[in-house]
Each structure stands twice: as structure tokens, then as C-alpha cells.
Amino acid sequence: MITLSDIEKVYQTKTIETVALQRVNLAVPKGEFVSIMGPSGCGKSTLLNIMGLLDVPTSGVVTIDGQPIKSYKDKELAHIRNEKIGFVFQSYHLVNDLSVLDNVELPLLYRSGVSGSERTKLAKDALEKVGLSARTKHFPNQLSGGQRQRVAIARALIGNPAIILADEPTGNLDSVMGEEVMNILLDLNRNDGTTIVMVTHDENMAHKTERLVRFFDGQQVSDSKVFDLQTV
Ligand code: ADP
Ligand code: ADP
């Protein structure tokens, strides 16, 4: 479903050249939940941004659902992103002066043909999925970190994306809230078949997913199936 072929990313400033990714080949099949781990600066966010069409590789090809993305214009990229991909970030990225409901509705504002009442219904459905039906009128700063991240997940899934890209979604949460957020992602993957790529520093979270890819200095250094000890 997402394929990265020979991806290289070089950040070039006037004085410094940084190779953030090199020779990355990675195929994430539909419905897989994969974790990406590695030390700070090894290229994880760059990888996620390239997969999510937020950034373009210096060389190599990204393919989504069999479509090579290479020659697309910004507008087309935005369209594919909007249709297929939901983003979740460590620091939630909610809009503080909008209510929970309005935050969740945001991605649909850019989609044509969705009426206001339809938008509200879809937002309520998404909030129900993350267990926040009782918080629609609250504002982000009235919520716990775990609740904020659940709002961010509801916003990511309102457009019914095939793919969720999560950059350290539990990174700012204590273990209890982290577990709650992780369980929501696991449910989305198992029940809705959503493909999830998650960057994490937390081995426990990574071991709940199906596959673990480790990076070091912009390169893939291991790629293995995770065997869930609970099912053994
Ligand atoms: P990680 O997410 O694993 O911490 P990043 O993908 O953020 O790593 O960064 C990979 C490397 O690319 C780092 O060395 C970082 O300093 C560099 N880098 C990231 N973004 C930029 C940028 N916009 N300009 C220059 N260098 C960058
Ligand atoms: P984190 O909280 O995981 O560190 P960042 O703030 O570094 O995430 O954001 C990662 C990347 O995603 C940045 O390149 C940023 O421009 C982009 N980004 C941030 N928020 C959004 C958003 N709401 N929609 C699309 N892209 C975003």
C-alpha cells in the first residue's frame, strides 16, 4: 500500500549538507501496524513526512496504492493526503480556541461536498470512537494530555483515512494515558483495517505492533515481525 524505493533525503543549507535518509526501501502492506524506532536525529520524522507527502525525497520514489507519486504537483499531493492519510503528532497540534468538535471537523472543511450537518455527525462519530462523546464542547486546554491526543486521533480519522501516520503519539503521555491512546490505535488497526506507521521511543508500545523497523543514521538497520507475548 505504501512503498518507499531507494529513498534519499538530503537537507542542504548554505553551509551544511545533512543526509537524513539514505537507500531506504520499505513496503508497508495494507492493514499493517508498523513501528519505527531509532535514536534522535536518525531520520524518523523525515521518513514519516515523506510517507505522508508532506515532504519530497531528494531521490527515490514513494508509491501509494500502486501510484508512483513522483511527478505530482502540490495541489495533487494535498488532495491525496486529504483523502488517504491521517496525521497524529506528539504535541497534538490542536487549535486551542476551537472546541473539541470544531477541531475534529477541521479536515473536512477542505473537502468539497460535505455539508455542515454531515460534518458535525462525522465528528461526533469519530469522537465516540475515541471515547470522548462527553467532551465535544470542551476546549483543548480543559482536557488531559491523553484526552487531547484522543481528540487528535478523532481528527485524523474523521476523513476515514486508509493510513494513519503517528509521530510519537504517546511521547508526552504518562503510561496510563499512553496505553489508552495505544489501545485506540490498535482497535483502529484491527477493527477498521487502518494501516498505521508509528514512530516511537517506547519499546513497550512498539512491541504491541506487528512489525518493528529500526533506523540508525538515516538507514534501516533491522526489520522484524513482533510476536505478541500475550497470545503465546
Ligand atoms: P528524528 O525524527 O529521527 O529525530 P529527523 O528526521 O527529524 O530525525 O532528522 C534527521 C536529520 O536531518 C537530523 O540530522 C536533522 O538535524 C536533519 N534535519 C531535519 N530537518 C531538517 C531541516 N529542515 N533542515 C536541515 N536539516 C534537517
Ligand atoms: P512532533 O510533535 O511529533 O515533534 P512536529 O511538530 O515536529 O511533530 O511536526 C512534524 C512535521 O509535520 C513538521 O514538518 C510540520 O510542519 C508538520 N505538521 C505539523 N502539524 C501539521 C498538521 N496539522 N498538518 C500537517 N502537517 C503538520
Side-chain angles (χ1 to χ4, degrees):
M1 134 146 296
I2 315 176
T3 319
L4 303 184
S5 306
D6 266 327
I7 295 293
E8 184 187 43
K9 178 69 182 182
V10 181
Y11 290 108
Q12 183 82 57
T13 62
K14 271 192 192 126
T15 49
I16 326 165
E17 184 183 275
T18 308
V19 180
L21 292 174
Q22 52 185 327
R23 290 186 300 280
V24 175
N25 288 286
L26 183 66
V28 181
K30 191 171 162 57
E32 191 169 64
F33 193 161
V34 52
S35 303
I36 309 287
M37 294 193 83
S40 185
C42 73
K44 304 179 299 295
S45 293
T46 302
L47 179 87
L48 222 56
N49 288 347
I50 288 175
M51 279 187 155
L53 314 179
L54 291 169
D55 200 353
V56 288
T58 309
S59 62
V61 183
V62 180
T63 304
I64 294 190
D65 286 342
Q67 274 184 300
I69 303 299
K70 214 171 176 182
S71 58
Y72 284 38
K73 296 187 178 65
D74 282 355
K75 212 175 150 186
E76 294 169 311
L77 291 179
H79 181 73
I80 299 172
R81 210 159 50 221
N82 206 23
E83 293 284 319
K84 295 195 189 268
I85 303 170
F87 295 93
V88 177
F89 300 94
Q90 177 176 2
S91 48
Y92 328 125
H93 291 292
L94 298 176
V95 181
N96 283 325
D97 54 6
L98 290 181
S99 70
V100 162
L101 192 71
D102 288 341
N103 265 284
V104 175
E105 286 186 20
L106 275 179
L108 293 185
L109 289 179
Y110 305 106
R111 213 177 263 198
S112 55
V114 184
S115 69
S117 57
E118 224 173 311
R119 221 164 41 225
T120 303
K121 185 191 177 302
L122 290 170
K124 284 183 173 165
D125 291 348
L127 283 163
E128 194 178 337
K129 259 195 180 155
V130 300
L132 280 182
S133 293
R135 293 288 184 277
T136 56
K137 290 182 179 152
H138 283 61
F139 286 84
N141 62 11
Q142 298 170 319
L143 302 177
S144 71
Q147 289 171 332
R148 288 182 206 193
Q149 192 59 296
R150 280 148 64 194
V151 174
I153 293 173
R155 180 186 58 189
L157 60 84
I158 190 172
N160 199 23
I163 304 161
I164 287 187
L165 301 178
D167 199 348
E168 295 192 46
T170 63
N172 283 349
L173 304 176
D174 68 25
S175 57
V176 174
M177 291 194 287
E179 288 274 336
E180 281 173 17
V181 163
M182 192 61 198
N183 285 336
I184 288 169
L185 293 175
L186 286 165
D187 281 349
L188 279 175
N189 173 252
R190 286 178 191 149
N191 302 338
D192 299 354
T194 309
T195 307
I196 306 181
V197 181
M198 175 180 76
V199 167
T200 182
H201 277 116
D202 187 329
E203 292 276 351
N204 289 330
M205 298 300 172
H207 281 87
K208 291 174 193 284
T209 68
E210 291 170 70
R211 177 180 172 195
L212 171 51
V213 180
R214 292 184 195 270
F215 276 80
F216 191 81
D217 276 354
Q219 280 181 292
Q220 233 169 289
V221 290
S222 77
D223 185 344
S224 54
K225 279 221 176 302
V226 175
F227 295 100
D228 187 349
L229 294 173
Q230 287 162 351
T231 62
V232 173

